[in-house]
Amino acid sequence: MVTKLLSASIEGLDSRRVEVEIDISGGLTAFTIVGLPDNAVKESRERVRTAISSSGFEFPLKRLTVNLAPADIKKEGSSYDLPIALGILAEDGLIPAPSADTLFAGELSLNGELRPISGGISIAMLAKSKEIRNVIVPKKNATECAIIEEVNVYGFDNLYDVIEHIRSDTGVRHKVNFEQYRDQLNDYALDFSDVKGQYLVKRALEIAIGGGHNILMIGPPGAGKSMLAKRVLSIMPRMELDEAIEVSRIHSVAGLTSGDLVSVRPFRDPHSSISKIGLIGGGTFPRPGEISLAHKGVLFLDEFPEFSKASVEALREPLENGDITISRARSTVNFPADFILVAAMNPCPCGYFNDPYHECTCSMNEIHRYRKKISGPIMDRIDMHIEVMPVAVEELKERPQGESSEIIRKRIETVRDIQRGRYKNEKFSENGNMNDKILEEYCRLGKESEKLLVDAMKLYRFSARSYKKILKISRTIADLEGAEEIMPQHLSEALNYRIVDRGI
Amino acid sequence: MNKRAEGKKYEKIARTYLQQRGWTIIEENYIFGHKEVDLIAVKAEELCFVEVKFRYSPAYGRGFEFVDSRKKNNVMTAAKGFLAKRKGYRNFNVTFGIVSITGEEIDFRRGYFKW
């Protein structure tokens, strides 16, 4: 007789069904795992053996064979511990056979406790699509799994509790109320009112977040670029349920959540020493990079020119498409990467070019070389460019407190609602992601605006992409005002965000 | 007392110890080629190949820690030889055990030599 249990493997963001088969026979004692296990899976033998003894059962001194089917895909990670342990106990007749309508995943510790695994949501989604009714996971993963309502999710603290549940159905179905869960967590330590002055930059950031536009801040050191960027998180609109599922899934696969739901938009600020793989994603078993971890949130790249050329150039496609496809010899996976890029840089190597209070010591040549680190195509893909000027010391004391993040966030949520309503039949929901076909329809200009744009195009020699970006930004500015049509004042403000960098 | 006699003495202690715990000793100093197993014991459906190890004091470690991989391989080879000859034991669960005598202390552990 062979005992079979269902479990799952993770491939990219998706999960695949894996059958765990256990056979016990007489003969030379052995405990073998076959079916392309990696080291973490092979080591599961030691964990399983000790966990079974710690849970008060005798580990059978017999010939044990575990097969992970299908045998031709690589199995990695520690989530097979639980099904293997249960299978051995069931095959040895110590516990009743678990139902075939249940999916098991969990890592065991030596004392029999269940530790959280990565990719919980993907596993629950697999159960939903394959119509497997129950999912048994470690308690810490239960919340993320239970967000998939169609599946009965049970979370347990240790192996013994799972066995009790199999024997006499003692478990309680885990449920989660997303609205409640989200409201618990919206509390930010950093607020926009901490930043004095800088109204123009705050306005630009509001437009960027409101419409999902990428933004580059250029300014001397100490002007407040990083300070402003770090507060962007506090004005991000609340996440909807479907967005939270998508984001949590990525973070869960990357092993960052330890089983919690991500209910606040992500803010990722990798250091400039990050490798291309770290930023974009990749590896033998492809894992999401920073751009995917920033999905539906903000990717903040401080000291933008310090990032390696390869990393920055690799941003082109994700900036354009909102996702990234990673091809490796073994597999090709697609990770979503729909983020708002907030980048900050100094105008020149010494940092003080254009600064009213300091003298710049760079030669024109040095400045050119510095700016060349960010190529034209990347600059072109960043919708908004804005200059951040330092606030004078006297002013810092006198300036009144600015608006609080909460007020700004309310406005952003309103403007996002307008967009969601307008694009309810489209695949995107922000102005920044509008595709070209739709552009003409939603960004129609009046005669006056049309003339203004044509004149600006001639004067500044904008690219076709710039033209579209200007239209999208104007759309957001008009939406912020609640205007149906794009007026010349909206357009001219949008133009402002494209010409800052043309000074030299 | 020479070393061989001393070994015999402790093997006898081990044997009594196992018998008291319900094991039947079916072979003593089983030799296959140049490989030797100290004791072969049977209980229920289990066939256990036993190595006896003696230490005067635990100061430098207990008996278990002094069964090295060469010794394990020897016992494994002898065990396979035994199973090849005595076909009646084929369907038993085969385990490997160590009786560790450290001074006055005696202990028996069994499990797998190799996974």
Side-chain angles (χ1 to χ4, degrees), chain A residues 470-485:
Chain A
I470 290 165
L471 283 180
K472 290 176 192 174
I473 300 166
S474 336
R475 183 68 262 172
T476 306
I477 297 172
D479 287 341
L480 271 168
E481 230 169 68
E484 276 289 320
E485 202 182 329

mmCIF file of all heavy atoms in Angstrom, chain A residues 470-485:
data_model
loop_
_atom_site.group_PDB
_atom_site.id
_atom_site.type_symbol
_atom_site.label_atom_id
_atom_site.label_comp_id
_atom_site.label_asym_id
_atom_site.label_seq_id
_atom_site.Cartn_x
_atom_site.Cartn_y
_atom_site.Cartn_z
ATOM 1 N N ILE A 470 3.210 64.005 -21.663
ATOM 2 C CA ILE A 470 2.678 65.328 -21.312
ATOM 3 C C ILE A 470 1.152 65.256 -21.249
ATOM 4 O O ILE A 470 0.531 65.773 -20.320
ATOM 5 C CB ILE A 470 3.146 66.394 -22.338
ATOM 6 C CG1 ILE A 470 4.650 66.626 -22.162
ATOM 7 C CG2 ILE A 470 2.389 67.695 -22.155
ATOM 8 C CD1 ILE A 470 5.295 67.367 -23.300
ATOM 9 N N LEU A 471 0.565 64.584 -22.233
ATOM 10 C CA LEU A 471 -0.893 64.455 -22.245
ATOM 11 C C LEU A 471 -1.383 63.724 -20.991
ATOM 12 O O LEU A 471 -2.362 64.121 -20.359
ATOM 13 C CB LEU A 471 -1.345 63.693 -23.488
ATOM 14 C CG LEU A 471 -1.343 64.498 -24.783
ATOM 15 C CD1 LEU A 471 -1.796 63.634 -25.940
ATOM 16 C CD2 LEU A 471 -2.243 65.729 -24.665
ATOM 17 N N LYS A 472 -0.680 62.671 -20.631
ATOM 18 C CA LYS A 472 -1.111 61.883 -19.458
ATOM 19 C C LYS A 472 -1.014 62.712 -18.188
ATOM 20 O O LYS A 472 -1.903 62.659 -17.329
ATOM 21 C CB LYS A 472 -0.253 60.621 -19.325
ATOM 22 C CG LYS A 472 -0.519 59.586 -20.411
ATOM 23 C CD LYS A 472 0.433 58.410 -20.275
ATOM 24 C CE LYS A 472 0.392 57.526 -21.511
ATOM 25 N NZ LYS A 472 1.399 56.467 -21.446
ATOM 26 N N ILE A 473 0.112 63.455 -18.062
ATOM 27 C CA ILE A 473 0.266 64.268 -16.848
ATOM 28 C C ILE A 473 -0.825 65.337 -16.802
ATOM 29 O O ILE A 473 -1.437 65.583 -15.760
ATOM 30 C CB ILE A 473 1.667 64.916 -16.795
ATOM 31 C CG1 ILE A 473 2.749 63.844 -16.786
ATOM 32 C CG2 ILE A 473 1.806 65.783 -15.558
ATOM 33 C CD1 ILE A 473 4.136 64.385 -17.064
ATOM 34 N N SER A 474 -1.112 65.970 -17.964
ATOM 35 C CA SER A 474 -2.165 66.988 -17.974
ATOM 36 C C SER A 474 -3.495 66.394 -17.551
ATOM 37 O O SER A 474 -4.290 67.024 -16.856
ATOM 38 C CB SER A 474 -2.352 67.609 -19.365
ATOM 39 O OG SER A 474 -1.233 67.497 -20.143
ATOM 40 N N ARG A 475 -3.728 65.151 -17.990
ATOM 41 C CA ARG A 475 -4.975 64.480 -17.627
ATOM 42 C C ARG A 475 -5.081 64.378 -16.098
ATOM 43 O O ARG A 475 -6.121 64.670 -15.503
ATOM 44 C CB ARG A 475 -4.990 63.094 -18.279
ATOM 45 C CG ARG A 475 -6.220 62.248 -18.097
ATOM 46 C CD ARG A 475 -7.431 62.799 -18.804
ATOM 47 N NE ARG A 475 -8.274 63.541 -17.860
ATOM 48 C CZ ARG A 475 -9.318 64.271 -18.210
ATOM 49 N NH1 ARG A 475 -9.659 64.400 -19.483
ATOM 50 N NH2 ARG A 475 -10.030 64.894 -17.302
ATOM 51 N N THR A 476 -3.969 63.978 -15.462
ATOM 52 C CA THR A 476 -3.993 63.856 -14.005
ATOM 53 C C THR A 476 -4.214 65.204 -13.341
ATOM 54 O O THR A 476 -4.988 65.316 -12.379
ATOM 55 C CB THR A 476 -2.667 63.244 -13.502
ATOM 56 O OG1 THR A 476 -2.445 62.019 -14.189
ATOM 57 C CG2 THR A 476 -2.715 62.975 -12.017
ATOM 58 N N ILE A 477 -3.543 66.240 -13.867
ATOM 59 C CA ILE A 477 -3.694 67.567 -13.266
ATOM 60 C C ILE A 477 -5.151 68.024 -13.391
ATOM 61 O O ILE A 477 -5.734 68.550 -12.435
ATOM 62 C CB ILE A 477 -2.737 68.583 -13.942
ATOM 63 C CG1 ILE A 477 -1.292 68.146 -13.692
ATOM 64 C CG2 ILE A 477 -2.972 69.983 -13.413
ATOM 65 C CD1 ILE A 477 -0.256 68.926 -14.453
ATOM 66 N N ALA A 478 -5.744 67.774 -14.558
ATOM 67 C CA ALA A 478 -7.147 68.133 -14.750
ATOM 68 C C ALA A 478 -8.032 67.344 -13.787
ATOM 69 O O ALA A 478 -8.955 67.889 -13.184
ATOM 70 C CB ALA A 478 -7.558 67.864 -16.194
ATOM 71 N N ASP A 479 -7.717 66.061 -13.611
ATOM 72 C CA ASP A 479 -8.509 65.224 -12.692
ATOM 73 C C ASP A 479 -8.413 65.733 -11.265
ATOM 74 O O ASP A 479 -9.393 65.713 -10.520
ATOM 75 C CB ASP A 479 -8.031 63.765 -12.742
ATOM 76 C CG ASP A 479 -8.455 63.083 -14.034
ATOM 77 O OD1 ASP A 479 -9.377 63.596 -14.689
ATOM 78 O OD2 ASP A 479 -7.863 62.041 -14.369
ATOM 79 N N LEU A 480 -7.214 66.185 -10.876
ATOM 80 C CA LEU A 480 -7.030 66.699 -9.512
ATOM 81 C C LEU A 480 -7.940 67.907 -9.271
ATOM 82 O O LEU A 480 -8.381 68.167 -8.156
ATOM 83 C CB LEU A 480 -5.572 67.102 -9.287
ATOM 84 C CG LEU A 480 -4.645 66.003 -8.781
ATOM 85 C CD1 LEU A 480 -3.202 66.439 -8.881
ATOM 86 C CD2 LEU A 480 -4.960 65.625 -7.337
ATOM 87 N N GLU A 481 -8.197 68.645 -10.360
ATOM 88 C CA GLU A 481 -9.068 69.806 -10.231
ATOM 89 C C GLU A 481 -10.525 69.416 -10.430
ATOM 90 O O GLU A 481 -11.423 70.232 -10.254
ATOM 91 C CB GLU A 481 -8.676 70.833 -11.297
ATOM 92 C CG GLU A 481 -8.470 72.221 -10.749
ATOM 93 C CD GLU A 481 -7.834 73.110 -11.789
ATOM 94 O OE1 GLU A 481 -8.507 73.414 -12.797
ATOM 95 O OE2 GLU A 481 -6.659 73.461 -11.607
ATOM 96 N N GLY A 482 -10.750 68.213 -10.846
ATOM 97 C CA GLY A 482 -12.106 67.751 -11.105
ATOM 98 C C GLY A 482 -12.608 68.205 -12.463
ATOM 99 O O GLY A 482 -13.805 68.180 -12.726
ATOM 100 N N ALA A 483 -11.683 68.638 -13.344
ATOM 101 C CA ALA A 483 -12.096 69.146 -14.648
ATOM 102 C C ALA A 483 -12.282 68.005 -15.640
ATOM 103 O O ALA A 483 -11.501 67.062 -15.667
ATOM 104 C CB ALA A 483 -11.062 70.129 -15.170
ATOM 105 N N GLU A 484 -13.335 68.131 -16.462
ATOM 106 C CA GLU A 484 -13.597 67.121 -17.497
ATOM 107 C C GLU A 484 -12.580 67.240 -18.624
ATOM 108 O O GLU A 484 -12.030 66.258 -19.087
ATOM 109 C CB GLU A 484 -15.005 67.341 -18.076
ATOM 110 C CG GLU A 484 -16.132 66.709 -17.261
ATOM 111 C CD GLU A 484 -16.138 65.205 -17.368
ATOM 112 O OE1 GLU A 484 -15.890 64.687 -18.478
ATOM 113 O OE2 GLU A 484 -16.376 64.541 -16.336
ATOM 114 N N GLU A 485 -12.349 68.511 -19.035
ATOM 115 C CA GLU A 485 -11.497 68.742 -20.207
ATOM 116 C C GLU A 485 -10.127 69.252 -19.765
ATOM 117 O O GLU A 485 -10.004 69.920 -18.729
ATOM 118 C CB GLU A 485 -12.168 69.781 -21.114
ATOM 119 C CG GLU A 485 -11.686 69.719 -22.556
ATOM 120 C CD GLU A 485 -12.360 70.823 -23.384
ATOM 121 O OE1 GLU A 485 -13.490 71.183 -23.063
ATOM 122 O OE2 GLU A 485 -11.721 71.317 -24.325
#
